Amino acid sequence: LLSDILGDLGDIYFVLDSTQAYEKTLELQPDVVLLDIEMPQLNGFEVCQQLKNSPLTRDISVIFISALTEAEFEFSSLAYGAVDFIARPFNREICRLRVQNQLILQQQAKALRLGQQQLYAEKQRLHVTLNSIGDAVVATDIRGNITFMNPIAERMTGWRASEAAGKHITDVMQLQDADSKQPSTNPIMLALSEKRIVAMALNCELVNRNSAEAVPVEDSAAPIFDING
């Protein structure tokens, strides 16, 4: 009957011995497991506990099936980690809808996990790149407070990234005019206020915090926009 009701939603597999349920689930890695509560050998609650105790199967959606419709059985089903409860005799439309909803949720969860994995991998690639290139790279938040410095930036400014974190860019990146020795405007502040790429003033020097040595620099600052602009 379940094959007839749910057959077009996906591939369906059965085990007739509840002691085989966990191994079959481990092998197939299905999106949804339908468990009868009343079974010989292991009952549905015991099988569900096996699934939820294993990191390899605990994220699979479990739906209990039972002719026992008292509230205590539904409560126990949810308490064991099931996501839904289908009463027998089956209402065809309700049965389909409950399984279909879980399939959609599983697809969304998989897409989210994949997106998180891709985002993490991209973040790692960017981190390695920024730490490996020969140019100094400094990043700030929208207030101009330091959030990142690569090793070259540490060497040029005389600040360790851990020390500079949270400090304002003008305190860490001390720029001055090479002729007058007067402080120069940091291009990051202009990039933040004007929301555009800003080139550093010509004839600019960066003063090292430790040695007080001033070295000529040329650079630019660019804002990074989030999805909301």
Side-chain angles (χ1 to χ4, degrees), residues 114-127:
L114 179 61
Q116 289 172 333
Q117 291 167 358
Q118 291 172 337
L119 185 62
Y120 178 79
E122 183 66 17
K123 183 179 179 181
Q124 290 299 103
R125 280 195 293 270
L126 289 173
H127 185 74

Side-chain angles (χ1 to χ4, degrees), residues 33-47:
V33 170
L34 302 177
L35 278 178
D36 202 318
I37 292 179
E38 297 172 290
M39 298 187 290
Q41 287 88 38
L42 299 175
N43 65 38
F45 294 141
E46 291 170 318
V47 174

Side-chain angles (χ1 to χ4, degrees), residues 156-160 163 172 174 207-213:
M156 291 183 68
T157 62
W159 285 81
R160 294 181 65 83
E163 298 174 310
V172 175
Q174 297 182 26
V207 180
N208 185 282
R209 173 199 187 193
N210 297 322
S211 66
E213 180 186 5

Side-chain angles (χ1 to χ4, degrees), residues 6 8-11 30-33 61 63 83 96-110:
L6 305 172
D8 63 329
L9 295 181
D11 298 320
D31 292 312
V32 177
V33 170
S61 296
I63 300 176
V83 296
R96 277 183 60 83
L97 191 58
R98 292 193 172 184
V99 173
Q100 194 169 31
N101 285 344
Q102 292 307 319
L103 289 173
I104 292 170
L105 288 173
Q106 282 287 353
Q107 289 172 349
Q108 292 171 341
K110 287 179 181 178

Side-chain angles (χ1 to χ4, degrees), residues 22-68:
Y22 172 73
E23 292 301 326
K24 196 68 174 176
T25 304
L26 199 60
E27 173 196 342
L28 295 172
Q29 290 295 309
D31 292 312
V32 177
V33 170
L34 302 177
L35 278 178
D36 202 318
I37 292 179
E38 297 172 290
M39 298 187 290
Q41 287 88 38
L42 299 175
N43 65 38
F45 294 141
E46 291 170 318
V47 174
C48 185
Q49 197 163 39
Q50 283 185 327
L51 298 176
K52 294 304 174 183
N53 285 342
S54 170
L56 299 176
T57 56
R58 64 187 174 203
D59 292 330
I60 296 171
S61 296
V62 174
I63 300 176
F64 276 119
I65 296 171
S66 181
L68 305 169

Side-chain angles (χ1 to χ4, degrees), residues 169-221:
I169 184 68
T170 54
D171 296 328
V172 175
M173 194 175 174
Q174 297 182 26
L175 300 175
Q176 66 181 27
D177 183 86
D179 297 324
S180 67
K181 306 303 180 185
Q182 293 298 307
S184 298
T185 301
N186 195 295
I188 283 183
M189 301 314 298
L190 291 175
L192 288 171
S193 62
E194 299 179 10
K195 298 182 179 180
R196 64 180 179 87
I197 297 174
V198 178
M200 185 177 288
L202 298 175
N203 202 30
C204 195
E205 294 179 331
L206 173 64
V207 180
N208 185 282
R209 173 199 187 193
N210 297 322
S211 66
E213 180 186 5
V215 294
V217 289
E218 60 178 49
D219 210 340
S220 64

